[in-house]
Amino acid sequence: MKKYLLTGLLVWVPLGITIWVLDLTISTLDQSLLLLPVNWYPDKLLGIHIPGLGVILTVVIVLGTGLLVHNVLGQRLLRYWEGLLRRIPVVSSIYHSVKQVSDTLLSSNGLAFRKVLLVRFPHPEAWSLAFQTTIPGEVAQQLKDEYVGVFIPTAPSPVNGFYFYVRRADTLEINISVDMALKSIVSMGVVATPVIYYPPQHDVPPD
């Protein structure tokens, strides 16, 4: 009985969480329909509620914003908008911090999370997964050896963690993708890269 119960949970728990995340995402993106005039609401035009139409509108808005910002007029509007936000005391600090993080993570030429490293943490006898980030030039000038900036995420929530400067010689670069490392952290090691076992080769005596 216990074996069957656990088997059923292994089937339904991932499915239930997936459905919950999708429902939360769709319902959140559907809020973009509130930007439309009341008479343009799909519920009024079609007479029925169709979940997910807000997702299409959100994609159109994001895509249109990207196209607009890529021309001269759009860049001027963006600079004006950012200048306006910088004049608002509390909003300025929040927007500036979030923009720095998003520019680093989402920029195609950014240097964030390009390498997965192993570093000694939380004590010299333990190793932890870490992501190599950048190190400010002012900090690098104060350090004698070659240091790298590393972000050590916590499990199972990788959005939190620790940011350190460690000697490059004290790190080990491992050949796995950032996505695979994140999966391993979120699953607390349950999902890991497959290990290929190479049996020891014995010398074959000559004939």
Side-chain angles (χ1 to χ4, degrees):
M1 178 68 71
K2 182 179 179 181
K3 180 177 68 174
Y4 297 143
L5 179 61
L6 291 176
T7 302
L9 287 174
L10 290 175
V11 173
W12 283 106
V13 168
L15 181 60
I17 294 177
T18 301
I19 294 174
W20 175 74
V21 171
L22 289 176
D23 179 69
L24 179 63
T25 303
I26 292 174
S27 61
T28 301
L29 294 179
D30 274 346
Q31 300 302 312
S32 62
L33 295 174
L34 299 177
L35 299 174
L36 300 174
V38 178
N39 295 331
W40 290 11
Y41 284 4
D43 293 3
K44 292 184 176 292
L45 294 177
L46 303 177
I48 57 174
H49 176 67
I50 302 178
L53 292 179
V55 178
I56 300 175
L57 179 60
T58 302
V59 172
V60 171
I61 292 175
V62 174
L63 182 61
T65 303
L67 293 174
L68 177 63
V69 172
H70 268 76
N71 58 55
V72 177
L73 177 61
Q75 291 177 0
R76 290 181 179 177
L77 291 174
L78 181 61
R79 286 195 294 268
Y80 173 78
W81 172 252
E82 291 181 344
L84 182 63
L85 292 178
R86 289 193 182 97
R87 295 186 181 95
I88 306 175
V90 178
V91 175
S92 174
S93 58
I94 297 175
Y95 178 79
H96 183 67
S97 300
V98 174
K99 191 174 189 308
Q100 281 186 324
V101 174
S102 63
D103 287 347
T104 302
L105 296 179
L106 300 179
S107 177
S108 59
N109 58 354
L111 299 176
F113 297 175
R114 286 199 169 183
K115 292 182 181 180
V116 182
L117 306 175
L118 285 175
V119 297
R120 296 285 192 181
F121 183 82
H123 55 80
E125 301 300 323
W127 291 95
S128 293
L129 282 175
F131 301 106
Q132 181 177 338
T133 62
T134 57
I135 179 171
E138 297 82 359
V139 176
Q141 292 176 358
Q142 301 298 322
L143 303 175
K144 296 180 180 179
D145 298 330
E146 184 180 5
Y147 278 73
V148 293
V150 296
F151 174 70
I152 305 174
T154 55
S157 175
V159 296
N160 300 315
F162 305 92
Y163 176 56
F164 291 119
Y165 304 127
V166 298
R167 283 194 297 265
R168 183 181 293 275
D170 294 334
T171 67
L172 294 178
E173 183 178 344
I174 54 178
N175 188 24
I176 65 172
S177 65
V178 172
D179 291 340
M180 195 63 236
L182 287 173
K183 289 179 182 178
S184 180
I185 293 168
V186 171
S187 66
M188 294 178 289
V190 175
V191 177
T193 55
V195 178
I196 302 176
Y197 172 71
Y198 294 97
Q201 295 182 356
H202 301 285
D203 294 334
V204 179
D207 295 335

